[in-house]
Amino acid sequence: MIPPPNGVTSNLPVLQKTLEAYKLWHAYYLNFPRLSKFSLGAKIDSLFSDAIELIFLAGYAGADQKYTFVVRASTKLDLLKFFIQIAWEVKCLDHRKYAALSIPLNGIGKDIGGWQKYLQTKQPPSRG
């Protein structure tokens, strides 16, 4: 396996965790039920991509933009977890796959929440 350029993910452990969760999702998406693959499955895939992008941008943003990217990443992650739960509820994901995705996503959520709290204490966001 070829490592990413300049250790991109090594500087951001939460990005590495999110990429690992996405790789797991991608394997499940390949066998997602055809009826839901291009609707619910595509929505989950898109939310994963958005979350990865926002975490990446947050990691490299200037101090004035970092908080905004982290908050947006947190929101995308919450939506992602919500749609994965729906996929489980409509039986597009079995219990094992749902748990295999939910556990790391909950950990990622805690990491992003901690990052958000850290940024709030470091420099509270301007209001209004």
Side-chain angles (χ1 to χ4, degrees), residues 25 27-42 44 83-98 101:
W25 157 251
Y28 298 159
Y29 184 44
L30 292 174
N31 298 312
F32 214 69
R34 183 172 172 83
L35 182 64
S36 300
K37 186 171 193 165
F38 303 106
S39 54
L40 182 57
I44 292 169
F83 279 99
I84 287 175
Q85 181 179 341
I86 291 172
W88 172 69
E89 289 176 3
V90 298
K91 300 189 181 355
C92 290
L93 292 172
D94 63 28
H95 296 296
R96 182 186 60 80
K97 290 176 181 176
Y98 175 68
L101 286 168

PDB file of all heavy atoms in Angstrom, residues 25 27-42 44 83-98 101:
ATOM      1  N   TRP A  25     -17.500   1.061   5.169  1.00  0.00           N
ATOM      2  CA  TRP A  25     -18.760   1.385   4.516  1.00  0.00           C
ATOM      3  C   TRP A  25     -18.697   1.024   3.030  1.00  0.00           C
ATOM      4  O   TRP A  25     -19.636   0.451   2.479  1.00  0.00           O
ATOM      5  CB  TRP A  25     -19.115   2.860   4.680  1.00  0.00           C
ATOM      6  CG  TRP A  25     -20.059   3.329   3.612  1.00  0.00           C
ATOM      7  CD1 TRP A  25     -19.786   4.168   2.570  1.00  0.00           C
ATOM      8  CD2 TRP A  25     -21.427   2.940   3.429  1.00  0.00           C
ATOM      9  NE1 TRP A  25     -20.883   4.324   1.772  1.00  0.00           N
ATOM     10  CE2 TRP A  25     -21.909   3.578   2.272  1.00  0.00           C
ATOM     11  CE3 TRP A  25     -22.294   2.103   4.139  1.00  0.00           C
ATOM     12  CZ2 TRP A  25     -23.210   3.417   1.814  1.00  0.00           C
ATOM     13  CZ3 TRP A  25     -23.594   1.942   3.674  1.00  0.00           C
ATOM     14  CH2 TRP A  25     -24.041   2.598   2.535  1.00  0.00           C
ATOM     15  N   ALA A  27     -17.078  -1.213   1.458  1.00  0.00           N
ATOM     16  CA  ALA A  27     -17.238  -2.660   1.262  1.00  0.00           C
ATOM     17  C   ALA A  27     -18.708  -3.064   1.400  1.00  0.00           C
ATOM     18  O   ALA A  27     -19.199  -3.914   0.649  1.00  0.00           O
ATOM     19  CB  ALA A  27     -16.375  -3.425   2.255  1.00  0.00           C
ATOM     20  N   TYR A  28     -19.411  -2.460   2.336  1.00  0.00           N
ATOM     21  CA  TYR A  28     -20.832  -2.759   2.524  1.00  0.00           C
ATOM     22  C   TYR A  28     -21.676  -2.191   1.376  1.00  0.00           C
ATOM     23  O   TYR A  28     -22.652  -2.799   0.946  1.00  0.00           O
ATOM     24  CB  TYR A  28     -21.354  -2.209   3.844  1.00  0.00           C
ATOM     25  CG  TYR A  28     -20.701  -2.778   5.071  1.00  0.00           C
ATOM     26  CD1 TYR A  28     -20.746  -2.096   6.276  1.00  0.00           C
ATOM     27  CD2 TYR A  28     -20.017  -3.992   5.053  1.00  0.00           C
ATOM     28  CE1 TYR A  28     -20.160  -2.612   7.420  1.00  0.00           C
ATOM     29  CE2 TYR A  28     -19.421  -4.509   6.190  1.00  0.00           C
ATOM     30  CZ  TYR A  28     -19.496  -3.806   7.372  1.00  0.00           C
ATOM     31  OH  TYR A  28     -18.908  -4.308   8.502  1.00  0.00           O
ATOM     32  N   TYR A  29     -21.292  -1.016   0.899  1.00  0.00           N
ATOM     33  CA  TYR A  29     -22.036  -0.331  -0.161  1.00  0.00           C
ATOM     34  C   TYR A  29     -22.028  -1.145  -1.453  1.00  0.00           C
ATOM     35  O   TYR A  29     -23.004  -1.151  -2.195  1.00  0.00           O
ATOM     36  CB  TYR A  29     -21.436   1.052  -0.373  1.00  0.00           C
ATOM     37  CG  TYR A  29     -22.151   1.934  -1.365  1.00  0.00           C
ATOM     38  CD1 TYR A  29     -23.542   2.033  -1.383  1.00  0.00           C
ATOM     39  CD2 TYR A  29     -21.437   2.715  -2.259  1.00  0.00           C
ATOM     40  CE1 TYR A  29     -24.191   2.878  -2.283  1.00  0.00           C
ATOM     41  CE2 TYR A  29     -22.080   3.555  -3.153  1.00  0.00           C
ATOM     42  CZ  TYR A  29     -23.452   3.630  -3.163  1.00  0.00           C
ATOM     43  OH  TYR A  29     -24.093   4.458  -4.045  1.00  0.00           O
ATOM     44  N   LEU A  30     -20.940  -1.845  -1.700  1.00  0.00           N
ATOM     45  CA  LEU A  30     -20.849  -2.658  -2.910  1.00  0.00           C
ATOM     46  C   LEU A  30     -21.955  -3.708  -2.961  1.00  0.00           C
ATOM     47  O   LEU A  30     -22.427  -4.073  -4.041  1.00  0.00           O
ATOM     48  CB  LEU A  30     -19.483  -3.341  -2.998  1.00  0.00           C
ATOM     49  CG  LEU A  30     -18.296  -2.409  -3.231  1.00  0.00           C
ATOM     50  CD1 LEU A  30     -16.990  -3.188  -3.140  1.00  0.00           C
ATOM     51  CD2 LEU A  30     -18.414  -1.699  -4.569  1.00  0.00           C
ATOM     52  N   ASN A  31     -22.389  -4.180  -1.796  1.00  0.00           N
ATOM     53  CA  ASN A  31     -23.439  -5.206  -1.717  1.00  0.00           C
ATOM     54  C   ASN A  31     -24.753  -4.670  -1.150  1.00  0.00           C
ATOM     55  O   ASN A  31     -25.586  -5.439  -0.694  1.00  0.00           O
ATOM     56  CB  ASN A  31     -22.940  -6.377  -0.870  1.00  0.00           C
ATOM     57  CG  ASN A  31     -21.727  -7.032  -1.488  1.00  0.00           C
ATOM     58  OD1 ASN A  31     -21.709  -7.330  -2.668  1.00  0.00           O
ATOM     59  ND2 ASN A  31     -20.694  -7.221  -0.686  1.00  0.00           N
ATOM     60  N   PHE A  32     -24.911  -3.355  -1.170  1.00  0.00           N
ATOM     61  CA  PHE A  32     -26.141  -2.739  -0.670  1.00  0.00           C
ATOM     62  C   PHE A  32     -27.304  -3.191  -1.558  1.00  0.00           C
ATOM     63  O   PHE A  32     -27.134  -3.347  -2.777  1.00  0.00           O
ATOM     64  CB  PHE A  32     -25.991  -1.209  -0.742  1.00  0.00           C
ATOM     65  CG  PHE A  32     -26.662  -0.448   0.352  1.00  0.00           C
ATOM     66  CD1 PHE A  32     -26.200  -0.507   1.653  1.00  0.00           C
ATOM     67  CD2 PHE A  32     -27.741   0.361   0.080  1.00  0.00           C
ATOM     68  CE1 PHE A  32     -26.805   0.227   2.668  1.00  0.00           C
ATOM     69  CE2 PHE A  32     -28.364   1.098   1.078  1.00  0.00           C
ATOM     70  CZ  PHE A  32     -27.886   1.021   2.380  1.00  0.00           C
ATOM     71  N   PRO A  33     -28.485  -3.396  -0.982  1.00  0.00           N
ATOM     72  CA  PRO A  33     -29.626  -3.823  -1.795  1.00  0.00           C
ATOM     73  C   PRO A  33     -29.886  -2.861  -2.961  1.00  0.00           C
ATOM     74  O   PRO A  33     -29.882  -1.645  -2.790  1.00  0.00           O
ATOM     75  CB  PRO A  33     -30.797  -3.812  -0.809  1.00  0.00           C
ATOM     76  CG  PRO A  33     -30.171  -3.926   0.533  1.00  0.00           C
ATOM     77  CD  PRO A  33     -28.839  -3.242   0.429  1.00  0.00           C
ATOM     78  N   ARG A  34     -30.098  -3.421  -4.119  1.00  0.00           N
ATOM     79  CA  ARG A  34     -30.257  -2.627  -5.345  1.00  0.00           C
ATOM     80  C   ARG A  34     -31.363  -1.573  -5.216  1.00  0.00           C
ATOM     81  O   ARG A  34     -31.208  -0.442  -5.695  1.00  0.00           O
ATOM     82  CB  ARG A  34     -30.541  -3.556  -6.516  1.00  0.00           C
ATOM     83  CG  ARG A  34     -30.646  -2.850  -7.839  1.00  0.00           C
ATOM     84  CD  ARG A  34     -30.735  -3.861  -8.980  1.00  0.00           C
ATOM     85  NE  ARG A  34     -31.014  -3.212 -10.238  1.00  0.00           N
ATOM     86  CZ  ARG A  34     -30.095  -2.643 -11.011  1.00  0.00           C
ATOM     87  NH1 ARG A  34     -28.832  -2.644 -10.636  1.00  0.00           N
ATOM     88  NH2 ARG A  34     -30.432  -2.077 -12.153  1.00  0.00           N
ATOM     89  N   LEU A  35     -32.448  -1.925  -4.567  1.00  0.00           N
ATOM     90  CA  LEU A  35     -33.582  -1.008  -4.424  1.00  0.00           C
ATOM     91  C   LEU A  35     -33.183   0.294  -3.717  1.00  0.00           C
ATOM     92  O   LEU A  35     -33.705   1.360  -4.031  1.00  0.00           O
ATOM     93  CB  LEU A  35     -34.721  -1.701  -3.657  1.00  0.00           C
ATOM     94  CG  LEU A  35     -36.000  -0.917  -3.467  1.00  0.00           C
ATOM     95  CD1 LEU A  35     -36.657  -0.616  -4.811  1.00  0.00           C
ATOM     96  CD2 LEU A  35     -36.964  -1.701  -2.592  1.00  0.00           C
ATOM     97  N   SER A  36     -32.236   0.210  -2.791  1.00  0.00           N
ATOM     98  CA  SER A  36     -31.842   1.378  -1.996  1.00  0.00           C
ATOM     99  C   SER A  36     -30.432   1.882  -2.293  1.00  0.00           C
ATOM    100  O   SER A  36     -30.022   2.896  -1.737  1.00  0.00           O
ATOM    101  CB  SER A  36     -31.930   1.028  -0.511  1.00  0.00           C
ATOM    102  OG  SER A  36     -33.241   0.664  -0.171  1.00  0.00           O
ATOM    103  N   LYS A  37     -29.722   1.193  -3.152  1.00  0.00           N
ATOM    104  CA  LYS A  37     -28.312   1.529  -3.391  1.00  0.00           C
ATOM    105  C   LYS A  37     -28.136   2.947  -3.927  1.00  0.00           C
ATOM    106  O   LYS A  37     -27.216   3.661  -3.521  1.00  0.00           O
ATOM    107  CB  LYS A  37     -27.684   0.528  -4.356  1.00  0.00           C
ATOM    108  CG  LYS A  37     -26.200   0.716  -4.533  1.00  0.00           C
ATOM    109  CD  LYS A  37     -25.599  -0.427  -5.314  1.00  0.00           C
ATOM    110  CE  LYS A  37     -24.095  -0.379  -5.205  1.00  0.00           C
ATOM    111  NZ  LYS A  37     -23.474  -1.621  -5.633  1.00  0.00           N
ATOM    112  N   PHE A  38     -28.989   3.369  -4.839  1.00  0.00           N
ATOM    113  CA  PHE A  38     -28.808   4.661  -5.489  1.00  0.00           C
ATOM    114  C   PHE A  38     -29.608   5.786  -4.842  1.00  0.00           C
ATOM    115  O   PHE A  38     -29.611   6.908  -5.337  1.00  0.00           O
ATOM    116  CB  PHE A  38     -29.127   4.532  -6.981  1.00  0.00           C
ATOM    117  CG  PHE A  38     -28.266   3.487  -7.634  1.00  0.00           C
ATOM    118  CD1 PHE A  38     -28.790   2.255  -7.985  1.00  0.00           C
ATOM    119  CD2 PHE A  38     -26.913   3.715  -7.849  1.00  0.00           C
ATOM    120  CE1 PHE A  38     -27.999   1.278  -8.562  1.00  0.00           C
ATOM    121  CE2 PHE A  38     -26.104   2.748  -8.413  1.00  0.00           C
ATOM    122  CZ  PHE A  38     -26.643   1.529  -8.778  1.00  0.00           C
ATOM    123  N   SER A  39     -30.258   5.478  -3.741  1.00  0.00           N
ATOM    124  CA  SER A  39     -30.954   6.513  -2.973  1.00  0.00           C
ATOM    125  C   SER A  39     -30.308   6.598  -1.597  1.00  0.00           C
ATOM    126  O   SER A  39     -29.416   7.412  -1.368  1.00  0.00           O
ATOM    127  CB  SER A  39     -32.450   6.208  -2.895  1.00  0.00           C
ATOM    128  OG  SER A  39     -32.672   4.902  -2.388  1.00  0.00           O
ATOM    129  N   LEU A  40     -30.711   5.735  -0.703  1.00  0.00           N
ATOM    130  CA  LEU A  40     -30.183   5.752   0.663  1.00  0.00           C
ATOM    131  C   LEU A  40     -28.678   5.473   0.686  1.00  0.00           C
ATOM    132  O   LEU A  40     -27.923   6.167   1.376  1.00  0.00           O
ATOM    133  CB  LEU A  40     -30.937   4.731   1.517  1.00  0.00           C
ATOM    134  CG  LEU A  40     -30.564   4.638   2.993  1.00  0.00           C
ATOM    135  CD1 LEU A  40     -30.727   5.981   3.692  1.00  0.00           C
ATOM    136  CD2 LEU A  40     -31.410   3.567   3.671  1.00  0.00           C
ATOM    137  N   GLY A  41     -28.238   4.490  -0.066  1.00  0.00           N
ATOM    138  CA  GLY A  41     -26.813   4.164  -0.098  1.00  0.00           C
ATOM    139  C   GLY A  41     -25.978   5.312  -0.634  1.00  0.00           C
ATOM    140  O   GLY A  41     -24.918   5.651  -0.089  1.00  0.00           O
ATOM    141  N   ALA A  42     -26.459   5.950  -1.705  1.00  0.00           N
ATOM    142  CA  ALA A  42     -25.731   7.089  -2.284  1.00  0.00           C
ATOM    143  C   ALA A  42     -25.710   8.266  -1.313  1.00  0.00           C
ATOM    144  O   ALA A  42     -24.711   8.997  -1.234  1.00  0.00           O
ATOM    145  CB  ALA A  42     -26.365   7.493  -3.612  1.00  0.00           C
ATOM    146  N   ILE A  44     -25.699   8.092   2.009  1.00  0.00           N
ATOM    147  CA  ILE A  44     -24.709   7.762   3.038  1.00  0.00           C
ATOM    148  C   ILE A  44     -23.301   7.956   2.481  1.00  0.00           C
ATOM    149  O   ILE A  44     -22.438   8.545   3.136  1.00  0.00           O
ATOM    150  CB  ILE A  44     -24.921   6.325   3.552  1.00  0.00           C
ATOM    151  CG1 ILE A  44     -26.231   6.234   4.336  1.00  0.00           C
ATOM    152  CG2 ILE A  44     -23.734   5.871   4.414  1.00  0.00           C
ATOM    153  CD1 ILE A  44     -26.678   4.817   4.654  1.00  0.00           C
ATOM    154  N   PHE A  83     -28.578   8.496   8.955  1.00  0.00           N
ATOM    155  CA  PHE A  83     -28.924   7.739   7.749  1.00  0.00           C
ATOM    156  C   PHE A  83     -28.447   6.290   7.821  1.00  0.00           C
ATOM    157  O   PHE A  83     -29.098   5.392   7.261  1.00  0.00           O
ATOM    158  CB  PHE A  83     -28.415   8.442   6.490  1.00  0.00           C
ATOM    159  CG  PHE A  83     -29.332   9.557   6.052  1.00  0.00           C
ATOM    160  CD1 PHE A  83     -29.048  10.871   6.375  1.00  0.00           C
ATOM    161  CD2 PHE A  83     -30.484   9.287   5.334  1.00  0.00           C
ATOM    162  CE1 PHE A  83     -29.899  11.899   5.989  1.00  0.00           C
ATOM    163  CE2 PHE A  83     -31.341  10.305   4.945  1.00  0.00           C
ATOM    164  CZ  PHE A  83     -31.058  11.620   5.275  1.00  0.00           C
ATOM    165  N   ILE A  84     -27.359   6.039   8.518  1.00  0.00           N
ATOM    166  CA  ILE A  84     -26.922   4.651   8.721  1.00  0.00           C
ATOM    167  C   ILE A  84     -27.930   3.916   9.603  1.00  0.00           C
ATOM    168  O   ILE A  84     -28.246   2.752   9.366  1.00  0.00           O
ATOM    169  CB  ILE A  84     -25.490   4.593   9.283  1.00  0.00           C
ATOM    170  CG1 ILE A  84     -24.514   4.963   8.165  1.00  0.00           C
ATOM    171  CG2 ILE A  84     -25.166   3.221   9.864  1.00  0.00           C
ATOM    172  CD1 ILE A  84     -23.080   5.073   8.587  1.00  0.00           C
ATOM    173  N   GLN A  85     -28.475   4.619  10.591  1.00  0.00           N
ATOM    174  CA  GLN A  85     -29.515   4.009  11.426  1.00  0.00           C
ATOM    175  C   GLN A  85     -30.752   3.689  10.593  1.00  0.00           C
ATOM    176  O   GLN A  85     -31.348   2.619  10.745  1.00  0.00           O
ATOM    177  CB  GLN A  85     -29.891   4.943  12.584  1.00  0.00           C
ATOM    178  CG  GLN A  85     -30.955   4.341  13.480  1.00  0.00           C
ATOM    179  CD  GLN A  85     -31.322   5.228  14.652  1.00  0.00           C
ATOM    180  OE1 GLN A  85     -30.572   6.127  15.021  1.00  0.00           O
ATOM    181  NE2 GLN A  85     -32.476   4.989  15.229  1.00  0.00           N
ATOM    182  N   ILE A  86     -31.113   4.589   9.690  1.00  0.00           N
ATOM    183  CA  ILE A  86     -32.255   4.317   8.813  1.00  0.00           C
ATOM    184  C   ILE A  86     -31.976   3.086   7.955  1.00  0.00           C
ATOM    185  O   ILE A  86     -32.844   2.217   7.794  1.00  0.00           O
ATOM    186  CB  ILE A  86     -32.577   5.542   7.926  1.00  0.00           C
ATOM    187  CG1 ILE A  86     -33.123   6.688   8.784  1.00  0.00           C
ATOM    188  CG2 ILE A  86     -33.568   5.169   6.821  1.00  0.00           C
ATOM    189  CD1 ILE A  86     -33.279   7.999   8.044  1.00  0.00           C
ATOM    190  N   ALA A  87     -30.754   2.988   7.424  1.00  0.00           N
ATOM    191  CA  ALA A  87     -30.388   1.823   6.602  1.00  0.00           C
ATOM    192  C   ALA A  87     -30.530   0.535   7.400  1.00  0.00           C
ATOM    193  O   ALA A  87     -30.975  -0.487   6.868  1.00  0.00           O
ATOM    194  CB  ALA A  87     -28.963   1.982   6.071  1.00  0.00           C
ATOM    195  N   TRP A  88     -30.179   0.594   8.665  1.00  0.00           N
ATOM    196  CA  TRP A  88     -30.335  -0.581   9.531  1.00  0.00           C
ATOM    197  C   TRP A  88     -31.826  -0.876   9.769  1.00  0.00           C
ATOM    198  O   TRP A  88     -32.262  -2.020   9.691  1.00  0.00           O
ATOM    199  CB  TRP A  88     -29.593  -0.342  10.842  1.00  0.00           C
ATOM    200  CG  TRP A  88     -29.830  -1.394  11.871  1.00  0.00           C
ATOM    201  CD1 TRP A  88     -29.404  -2.688  11.856  1.00  0.00           C
ATOM    202  CD2 TRP A  88     -30.557  -1.237  13.088  1.00  0.00           C
ATOM    203  NE1 TRP A  88     -29.819  -3.339  12.982  1.00  0.00           N
ATOM    204  CE2 TRP A  88     -30.531  -2.469  13.765  1.00  0.00           C
ATOM    205  CE3 TRP A  88     -31.226  -0.163  13.674  1.00  0.00           C
ATOM    206  CZ2 TRP A  88     -31.147  -2.652  14.990  1.00  0.00           C
ATOM    207  CZ3 TRP A  88     -31.828  -0.346  14.895  1.00  0.00           C
ATOM    208  CH2 TRP A  88     -31.790  -1.587  15.539  1.00  0.00           C
ATOM    209  N   GLU A  89     -32.600   0.175  10.036  1.00  0.00           N
ATOM    210  CA  GLU A  89     -34.020  -0.001  10.322  1.00  0.00           C
ATOM    211  C   GLU A  89     -34.794  -0.579   9.139  1.00  0.00           C
ATOM    212  O   GLU A  89     -35.742  -1.345   9.329  1.00  0.00           O
ATOM    213  CB  GLU A  89     -34.648   1.322  10.772  1.00  0.00           C
ATOM    214  CG  GLU A  89     -34.204   1.750  12.161  1.00  0.00           C
ATOM    215  CD  GLU A  89     -34.748   3.108  12.581  1.00  0.00           C
ATOM    216  OE1 GLU A  89     -35.530   3.719  11.819  1.00  0.00           O
ATOM    217  OE2 GLU A  89     -34.378   3.560  13.674  1.00  0.00           O
ATOM    218  N   VAL A  90     -34.392  -0.230   7.919  1.00  0.00           N
ATOM    219  CA  VAL A  90     -35.085  -0.766   6.737  1.00  0.00           C
ATOM    220  C   VAL A  90     -34.395  -2.026   6.205  1.00  0.00           C
ATOM    221  O   VAL A  90     -34.693  -2.499   5.115  1.00  0.00           O
ATOM    222  CB  VAL A  90     -35.250   0.294   5.614  1.00  0.00           C
ATOM    223  CG1 VAL A  90     -36.096   1.457   6.092  1.00  0.00           C
ATOM    224  CG2 VAL A  90     -33.916   0.742   5.061  1.00  0.00           C
ATOM    225  N   LYS A  91     -33.469  -2.543   7.017  1.00  0.00           N
ATOM    226  CA  LYS A  91     -32.795  -3.818   6.759  1.00  0.00           C
ATOM    227  C   LYS A  91     -31.871  -3.824   5.534  1.00  0.00           C
ATOM    228  O   LYS A  91     -31.658  -4.848   4.900  1.00  0.00           O
ATOM    229  CB  LYS A  91     -33.801  -4.958   6.685  1.00  0.00           C
ATOM    230  CG  LYS A  91     -34.584  -5.103   7.990  1.00  0.00           C
ATOM    231  CD  LYS A  91     -35.421  -6.329   8.018  1.00  0.00           C
ATOM    232  CE  LYS A  91     -36.243  -6.513   9.264  1.00  0.00           C
ATOM    233  NZ  LYS A  91     -36.153  -5.652  10.366  1.00  0.00           N
ATOM    234  N   CYS A  92     -31.311  -2.638   5.223  1.00  0.00           N
ATOM    235  CA  CYS A  92     -30.270  -2.580   4.199  1.00  0.00           C
ATOM    236  C   CYS A  92     -28.919  -2.971   4.806  1.00  0.00           C
ATOM    237  O   CYS A  92     -27.999  -3.357   4.088  1.00  0.00           O
ATOM    238  CB  CYS A  92     -30.169  -1.180   3.601  1.00  0.00           C
ATOM    239  SG  CYS A  92     -31.589  -0.737   2.579  1.00  0.00           S
ATOM    240  N   LEU A  93     -28.806  -2.816   6.117  1.00  0.00           N
ATOM    241  CA  LEU A  93     -27.621  -3.235   6.873  1.00  0.00           C
ATOM    242  C   LEU A  93     -28.075  -4.184   7.965  1.00  0.00           C
ATOM    243  O   LEU A  93     -29.069  -3.904   8.652  1.00  0.00           O
ATOM    244  CB  LEU A  93     -26.919  -2.036   7.529  1.00  0.00           C
ATOM    245  CG  LEU A  93     -26.240  -1.017   6.622  1.00  0.00           C
ATOM    246  CD1 LEU A  93     -25.774   0.177   7.439  1.00  0.00           C
ATOM    247  CD2 LEU A  93     -25.060  -1.651   5.895  1.00  0.00           C
ATOM    248  N   ASP A  94     -27.366  -5.290   8.143  1.00  0.00           N
ATOM    249  CA  ASP A  94     -27.699  -6.194   9.236  1.00  0.00           C
ATOM    250  C   ASP A  94     -27.094  -5.663  10.545  1.00  0.00           C
ATOM    251  O   ASP A  94     -26.369  -4.662  10.549  1.00  0.00           O
ATOM    252  CB  ASP A  94     -27.256  -7.629   8.937  1.00  0.00           C
ATOM    253  CG  ASP A  94     -25.750  -7.790   8.777  1.00  0.00           C
ATOM    254  OD1 ASP A  94     -24.966  -7.010   9.374  1.00  0.00           O
ATOM    255  OD2 ASP A  94     -25.336  -8.715   8.052  1.00  0.00           O
ATOM    256  N   HIS A  95     -27.399  -6.326  11.646  1.00  0.00           N
ATOM    257  CA  HIS A  95     -26.949  -5.866  12.966  1.00  0.00           C
ATOM    258  C   HIS A  95     -25.426  -5.780  13.046  1.00  0.00           C
ATOM    259  O   HIS A  95     -24.884  -4.828  13.592  1.00  0.00           O
ATOM    260  CB  HIS A  95     -27.452  -6.803  14.077  1.00  0.00           C
ATOM    261  CG  HIS A  95     -28.939  -6.835  14.218  1.00  0.00           C
ATOM    262  ND1 HIS A  95     -29.677  -5.739  14.590  1.00  0.00           N
ATOM    263  CD2 HIS A  95     -29.833  -7.838  14.029  1.00  0.00           C
ATOM    264  CE1 HIS A  95     -30.961  -6.052  14.637  1.00  0.00           C
ATOM    265  NE2 HIS A  95     -31.084  -7.326  14.293  1.00  0.00           N
ATOM    266  N   ARG A  96     -24.747  -6.756  12.494  1.00  0.00           N
ATOM    267  CA  ARG A  96     -23.286  -6.803  12.566  1.00  0.00           C
ATOM    268  C   ARG A  96     -22.664  -5.618  11.819  1.00  0.00           C
ATOM    269  O   ARG A  96     -21.777  -4.944  12.335  1.00  0.00           O
ATOM    270  CB  ARG A  96     -22.786  -8.127  11.986  1.00  0.00           C
ATOM    271  CG  ARG A  96     -21.285  -8.316  12.059  1.00  0.00           C
ATOM    272  CD  ARG A  96     -20.827  -9.583  11.350  1.00  0.00           C
ATOM    273  NE  ARG A  96     -21.160  -9.603   9.935  1.00  0.00           N
ATOM    274  CZ  ARG A  96     -20.462  -8.966   8.989  1.00  0.00           C
ATOM    275  NH1 ARG A  96     -19.418  -8.260   9.307  1.00  0.00           N
ATOM    276  NH2 ARG A  96     -20.837  -9.041   7.724  1.00  0.00           N
ATOM    277  N   LYS A  97     -23.153  -5.337  10.612  1.00  0.00           N
ATOM    278  CA  LYS A  97     -22.623  -4.227   9.812  1.00  0.00           C
ATOM    279  C   LYS A  97     -22.964  -2.883  10.452  1.00  0.00           C
ATOM    280  O   LYS A  97     -22.148  -1.968  10.455  1.00  0.00           O
ATOM    281  CB  LYS A  97     -23.157  -4.297   8.379  1.00  0.00           C
ATOM    282  CG  LYS A  97     -22.592  -5.463   7.598  1.00  0.00           C
ATOM    283  CD  LYS A  97     -23.216  -5.561   6.224  1.00  0.00           C
ATOM    284  CE  LYS A  97     -22.661  -6.756   5.462  1.00  0.00           C
ATOM    285  NZ  LYS A  97     -23.329  -6.929   4.166  1.00  0.00           N
ATOM    286  N   TYR A  98     -24.170  -2.783  10.975  1.00  0.00           N
ATOM    287  CA  TYR A  98     -24.585  -1.552  11.647  1.00  0.00           C
ATOM    288  C   TYR A  98     -23.676  -1.271  12.840  1.00  0.00           C
ATOM    289  O   TYR A  98     -23.184  -0.149  13.006  1.00  0.00           O
ATOM    290  CB  TYR A  98     -26.044  -1.658  12.092  1.00  0.00           C
ATOM    291  CG  TYR A  98     -26.528  -0.485  12.893  1.00  0.00           C
ATOM    292  CD1 TYR A  98     -26.681   0.764  12.310  1.00  0.00           C
ATOM    293  CD2 TYR A  98     -26.837  -0.618  14.241  1.00  0.00           C
ATOM    294  CE1 TYR A  98     -27.128   1.853  13.041  1.00  0.00           C
ATOM    295  CE2 TYR A  98     -27.285   0.452  14.982  1.00  0.00           C
ATOM    296  CZ  TYR A  98     -27.427   1.693  14.378  1.00  0.00           C
ATOM    297  OH  TYR A  98     -27.856   2.769  15.113  1.00  0.00           O
ATOM    298  N   LEU A 101     -20.132  -0.180  11.872  1.00  0.00           N
ATOM    299  CA  LEU A 101     -20.041   1.220  11.449  1.00  0.00           C
ATOM    300  C   LEU A 101     -20.324   2.183  12.603  1.00  0.00           C
ATOM    301  O   LEU A 101     -19.650   3.211  12.741  1.00  0.00           O
ATOM    302  CB  LEU A 101     -21.036   1.503  10.315  1.00  0.00           C
ATOM    303  CG  LEU A 101     -20.685   0.938   8.948  1.00  0.00           C
ATOM    304  CD1 LEU A 101     -21.876   1.026   8.012  1.00  0.00           C
ATOM    305  CD2 LEU A 101     -19.487   1.673   8.366  1.00  0.00           C
TER     306      LEU A 101
END
